[in-house]
Amino acid sequence: MTTIAATNIHTRGRQKVRAQMSADTFSHTKVSGLYVHKIERIGTTLVGCSGPSVLCQRFLHWRHNGGRAPVWKETEPFEALVLDATGLYVFYSGCTAERITLPWFAIGSGRQYALGALANGASTQDAVEIACKFDPYSKTPVETLLL
């Protein structure tokens, strides 16, 4: 699986936090572990996907090219975070967007660890690195993109 965390533009105390997204880069396979990019920039949008690579590729293809949203079983283990100038959104297997009202959010197998870290003021980079210490399916290095 993975850990992906994102923050929307917000203030923490007197400090303004830039919108950003971070992800671990480990991909667990039956043969061996691979290191991959799980977040990418599409125009002025950041997109991060968690789930089987074939579903992630279909979702990214849709975000790149538009058209009809991909369709797969609701039981498929898929999540995506989308961050743009209008806000932070999460997509699940049904490929319908849910707007996140918190200034931050996380998806993937390490999301609980990342959410706890974000709630205590960690950056997305630090939150994913913390998740990597506890979640056996998330590993460093961590990559971060700014919106």
Side-chain angles (χ1 to χ4, degrees):
M1 287 292 290
T2 192
T3 303
I4 300 172
T7 59
N8 206 346
I9 297 171
H10 66 283
T11 56
R12 184 180 297 137
R14 294 180 184 206
Q15 179 183 0
K16 189 170 187 175
V17 177
R18 277 189 75 183
Q20 58 189 279
M21 187 178 292
S22 298
D24 76 297
T25 54
F26 183 71
S27 177
H28 182 74
T29 65
K30 291 180 181 179
V31 178
S32 65
L34 302 172
Y35 290 87
V36 298
H37 299 287
K38 298 178 184 178
I39 57 176
E40 70 177 71
R41 185 180 310 279
I42 301 174
T44 58
T45 302
L46 299 180
V47 180
C49 294
S50 171
S53 62
V54 67
L55 299 183
C56 293
Q57 291 305 316
R58 286 174 60 196
F59 184 83
L60 291 170
H61 183 268
W62 171 58
R63 295 298 299 188
H64 274 285
N65 301 309
R68 295 183 64 172
V71 177
W72 49 76
K73 296 177 186 175
E74 290 284 333
T75 57
E76 294 282 0
F78 173 82
E79 300 171 294
L81 275 180
V82 174
L83 177 62
D84 64 20
T86 66
L88 179 58
Y89 303 87
V90 64
F91 290 76
Y92 296 107
S93 295
C95 277
T96 55
E98 294 181 31
R99 187 180 178 115
I100 303 301
T101 57
L102 293 170
W104 37 258
F105 199 67
I107 61 171
S109 56
R111 79 176 140 275
Q112 295 91 343
Y113 305 113
L115 287 170
L118 290 165
N120 283 286
S123 67
T124 58
Q125 175 90 21
D126 290 342
V128 175
E129 287 177 357
I130 289 167
C132 289
K133 292 179 182 180
F134 299 101
D135 177 42
Y137 304 106
S138 300
K139 294 184 181 177
T140 58
V142 173
E143 63 178 337
T144 299
L145 297 177
L146 300 175
L147 187 62

